[in-house]
PDB file of all heavy atoms in Angstrom:
ATOM      1  N   ILE A 506      -4.615   0.836  -9.252  1.00 96.00           N
ATOM      2  CA  ILE A 506      -5.674  -0.173  -9.149  1.00 96.00           C
ATOM      3  C   ILE A 506      -6.055  -0.552 -10.566  1.00 96.00           C
ATOM      4  O   ILE A 506      -6.463   0.295 -11.362  1.00 96.00           O
ATOM      5  CB  ILE A 506      -6.910   0.363  -8.395  1.00 96.00           C
ATOM      6  CG1 ILE A 506      -6.530   0.750  -6.969  1.00 96.00           C
ATOM      7  CG2 ILE A 506      -8.030  -0.683  -8.406  1.00 96.00           C
ATOM      8  CD1 ILE A 506      -7.642   1.452  -6.203  1.00 96.00           C
ATOM      9  N   ASN A 507      -5.893  -1.838 -10.895  1.00 94.00           N
ATOM     10  CA  ASN A 507      -6.216  -2.351 -12.216  1.00 94.00           C
ATOM     11  C   ASN A 507      -7.510  -3.147 -12.100  1.00 94.00           C
ATOM     12  O   ASN A 507      -7.597  -4.068 -11.288  1.00 94.00           O
ATOM     13  CB  ASN A 507      -5.062  -3.227 -12.718  1.00 94.00           C
ATOM     14  CG  ASN A 507      -5.247  -3.646 -14.146  1.00 94.00           C
ATOM     15  OD1 ASN A 507      -6.129  -4.432 -14.445  1.00 94.00           O
ATOM     16  ND2 ASN A 507      -4.423  -3.127 -15.023  1.00 94.00           N
ATOM     17  N   HIS A 508      -8.504  -2.790 -12.915  1.00 93.00           N
ATOM     18  CA  HIS A 508      -9.813  -3.444 -12.800  1.00 93.00           C
ATOM     19  C   HIS A 508     -10.443  -3.632 -14.175  1.00 93.00           C
ATOM     20  O   HIS A 508     -10.019  -3.024 -15.156  1.00 93.00           O
ATOM     21  CB  HIS A 508     -10.739  -2.625 -11.896  1.00 93.00           C
ATOM     22  CG  HIS A 508     -10.980  -1.234 -12.387  1.00 93.00           C
ATOM     23  ND1 HIS A 508     -12.026  -0.910 -13.197  1.00 93.00           N
ATOM     24  CD2 HIS A 508     -10.283  -0.085 -12.197  1.00 93.00           C
ATOM     25  CE1 HIS A 508     -11.989   0.382 -13.483  1.00 93.00           C
ATOM     26  NE2 HIS A 508     -10.933   0.908 -12.886  1.00 93.00           N
ATOM     27  N   ASN A 509     -11.466  -4.490 -14.215  1.00 90.00           N
ATOM     28  CA  ASN A 509     -12.169  -4.794 -15.456  1.00 90.00           C
ATOM     29  C   ASN A 509     -13.529  -4.092 -15.540  1.00 90.00           C
ATOM     30  O   ASN A 509     -14.456  -4.616 -16.135  1.00 90.00           O
ATOM     31  CB  ASN A 509     -12.391  -6.306 -15.597  1.00 90.00           C
ATOM     32  CG  ASN A 509     -11.154  -7.017 -16.066  1.00 90.00           C
ATOM     33  OD1 ASN A 509     -10.345  -6.453 -16.796  1.00 90.00           O
ATOM     34  ND2 ASN A 509     -10.992  -8.256 -15.654  1.00 90.00           N
ATOM     35  N   LYS A 510     -13.635  -2.942 -14.906  1.00 88.00           N
ATOM     36  CA  LYS A 510     -14.870  -2.153 -14.941  1.00 88.00           C
ATOM     37  C   LYS A 510     -16.059  -2.956 -14.431  1.00 88.00           C
ATOM     38  O   LYS A 510     -17.137  -2.964 -15.031  1.00 88.00           O
ATOM     39  CB  LYS A 510     -15.125  -1.604 -16.337  1.00 88.00           C
ATOM     40  CG  LYS A 510     -14.041  -0.644 -16.777  1.00 88.00           C
ATOM     41  CD  LYS A 510     -14.426   0.115 -18.011  1.00 88.00           C
ATOM     42  CE  LYS A 510     -13.338   1.124 -18.303  1.00 88.00           C
ATOM     43  NZ  LYS A 510     -13.833   2.419 -18.604  1.00 88.00           N
ATOM     44  N   GLY A 511     -15.845  -3.623 -13.282  1.00 88.00           N
ATOM     45  CA  GLY A 511     -16.912  -4.387 -12.657  1.00 88.00           C
ATOM     46  C   GLY A 511     -17.869  -3.488 -11.892  1.00 88.00           C
ATOM     47  O   GLY A 511     -17.817  -2.255 -11.988  1.00 88.00           O
ATOM     48  N   LEU A 512     -18.717  -4.094 -11.093  1.00 91.00           N
ATOM     49  CA  LEU A 512     -19.732  -3.383 -10.322  1.00 91.00           C
ATOM     50  C   LEU A 512     -19.096  -2.283  -9.477  1.00 91.00           C
ATOM     51  O   LEU A 512     -18.102  -2.510  -8.791  1.00 91.00           O
ATOM     52  CB  LEU A 512     -20.485  -4.372  -9.421  1.00 91.00           C
ATOM     53  CG  LEU A 512     -21.638  -3.785  -8.616  1.00 91.00           C
ATOM     54  CD1 LEU A 512     -22.753  -3.300  -9.542  1.00 91.00           C
ATOM     55  CD2 LEU A 512     -22.167  -4.815  -7.638  1.00 91.00           C
ATOM     56  N   ASN A 513     -19.626  -1.090  -9.563  1.00 93.00           N
ATOM     57  CA  ASN A 513     -19.215   0.103  -8.804  1.00 93.00           C
ATOM     58  C   ASN A 513     -17.860   0.670  -9.214  1.00 93.00           C
ATOM     59  O   ASN A 513     -17.296   1.496  -8.508  1.00 93.00           O
ATOM     60  CB  ASN A 513     -19.236  -0.159  -7.293  1.00 93.00           C
ATOM     61  CG  ASN A 513     -20.622  -0.476  -6.796  1.00 93.00           C
ATOM     62  OD1 ASN A 513     -21.600   0.095  -7.262  1.00 93.00           O
ATOM     63  ND2 ASN A 513     -20.712  -1.402  -5.867  1.00 93.00           N
ATOM     64  N   HIS A 514     -17.342   0.263 -10.371  1.00 93.00           N
ATOM     65  CA  HIS A 514     -16.032   0.757 -10.810  1.00 93.00           C
ATOM     66  C   HIS A 514     -16.014   2.275 -11.001  1.00 93.00           C
ATOM     67  O   HIS A 514     -14.968   2.903 -10.890  1.00 93.00           O
ATOM     68  CB  HIS A 514     -15.606   0.084 -12.117  1.00 93.00           C
ATOM     69  CG  HIS A 514     -16.300   0.647 -13.320  1.00 93.00           C
ATOM     70  ND1 HIS A 514     -17.544   0.225 -13.704  1.00 93.00           N
ATOM     71  CD2 HIS A 514     -15.938   1.617 -14.187  1.00 93.00           C
ATOM     72  CE1 HIS A 514     -17.922   0.902 -14.763  1.00 93.00           C
ATOM     73  NE2 HIS A 514     -16.963   1.756 -15.093  1.00 93.00           N
ATOM     74  N   GLU A 515     -17.164   2.865 -11.265  1.00 92.00           N
ATOM     75  CA  GLU A 515     -17.209   4.297 -11.571  1.00 92.00           C
ATOM     76  C   GLU A 515     -16.784   5.176 -10.400  1.00 92.00           C
ATOM     77  O   GLU A 515     -16.371   6.315 -10.605  1.00 92.00           O
ATOM     78  CB  GLU A 515     -18.611   4.711 -12.070  1.00 92.00           C
ATOM     79  CG  GLU A 515     -19.713   4.539 -11.057  1.00 92.00           C
ATOM     80  CD  GLU A 515     -20.276   3.119 -10.952  1.00 92.00           C
ATOM     81  OE1 GLU A 515     -19.877   2.237 -11.723  1.00 92.00           O
ATOM     82  OE2 GLU A 515     -21.123   2.912 -10.068  1.00 92.00           O
ATOM     83  N   VAL A 516     -16.807   4.655  -9.173  1.00 95.00           N
ATOM     84  CA  VAL A 516     -16.360   5.479  -8.037  1.00 95.00           C
ATOM     85  C   VAL A 516     -14.850   5.677  -8.054  1.00 95.00           C
ATOM     86  O   VAL A 516     -14.343   6.633  -7.466  1.00 95.00           O
ATOM     87  CB  VAL A 516     -16.789   4.881  -6.668  1.00 95.00           C
ATOM     88  CG1 VAL A 516     -18.299   4.748  -6.579  1.00 95.00           C
ATOM     89  CG2 VAL A 516     -16.104   3.563  -6.390  1.00 95.00           C
ATOM     90  N   LEU A 517     -14.127   4.808  -8.741  1.00 95.00           N
ATOM     91  CA  LEU A 517     -12.674   4.856  -8.716  1.00 95.00           C
ATOM     92  C   LEU A 517     -12.077   6.064  -9.436  1.00 95.00           C
ATOM     93  O   LEU A 517     -10.997   6.513  -9.095  1.00 95.00           O
ATOM     94  CB  LEU A 517     -12.083   3.574  -9.315  1.00 95.00           C
ATOM     95  CG  LEU A 517     -12.375   2.289  -8.545  1.00 95.00           C
ATOM     96  CD1 LEU A 517     -11.849   1.087  -9.305  1.00 95.00           C
ATOM     97  CD2 LEU A 517     -11.791   2.355  -7.147  1.00 95.00           C
ATOM     98  N   ASN A 518     -12.765   6.589 -10.456  1.00 93.00           N
ATOM     99  CA  ASN A 518     -12.193   7.705 -11.204  1.00 93.00           C
ATOM    100  C   ASN A 518     -12.817   9.054 -10.839  1.00 93.00           C
ATOM    101  O   ASN A 518     -12.704  10.013 -11.582  1.00 93.00           O
ATOM    102  CB  ASN A 518     -12.262   7.462 -12.717  1.00 93.00           C
ATOM    103  CG  ASN A 518     -13.678   7.437 -13.238  1.00 93.00           C
ATOM    104  OD1 ASN A 518     -14.636   7.452 -12.479  1.00 93.00           O
ATOM    105  ND2 ASN A 518     -13.821   7.390 -14.549  1.00 93.00           N
ATOM    106  N   THR A 519     -13.443   9.127  -9.689  1.00 94.00           N
ATOM    107  CA  THR A 519     -13.997  10.386  -9.215  1.00 94.00           C
ATOM    108  C   THR A 519     -12.850  11.295  -8.785  1.00 94.00           C
ATOM    109  O   THR A 519     -12.013  10.896  -7.971  1.00 94.00           O
ATOM    110  CB  THR A 519     -14.931  10.137  -8.009  1.00 94.00           C
ATOM    111  OG1 THR A 519     -15.933   9.200  -8.392  1.00 94.00           O
ATOM    112  CG2 THR A 519     -15.571  11.428  -7.546  1.00 94.00           C
ATOM    113  N   PRO A 520     -12.784  12.512  -9.328  1.00 96.00           N
ATOM    114  CA  PRO A 520     -11.726  13.427  -8.895  1.00 96.00           C
ATOM    115  C   PRO A 520     -11.825  13.715  -7.395  1.00 96.00           C
ATOM    116  O   PRO A 520     -12.908  13.717  -6.824  1.00 96.00           O
ATOM    117  CB  PRO A 520     -12.000  14.696  -9.707  1.00 96.00           C
ATOM    118  CG  PRO A 520     -12.751  14.210 -10.906  1.00 96.00           C
ATOM    119  CD  PRO A 520     -13.589  13.066 -10.404  1.00 96.00           C
ATOM    120  N   GLY A 521     -10.672  13.938  -6.786  1.00 96.00           N
ATOM    121  CA  GLY A 521     -10.638  14.269  -5.366  1.00 96.00           C
ATOM    122  C   GLY A 521     -10.107  13.131  -4.519  1.00 96.00           C
ATOM    123  O   GLY A 521      -9.452  12.205  -4.999  1.00 96.00           O
TER     124      GLY A 521
END
Side-chain angles (χ1 to χ4, degrees):
I506 299 173
N507 187 291
H508 59 92
N509 281 329
K510 297 192 175 226
L512 184 65
N513 297 323
H514 77 276
E515 64 278 356
V516 301
L517 295 175
N518 66 352
T519 304

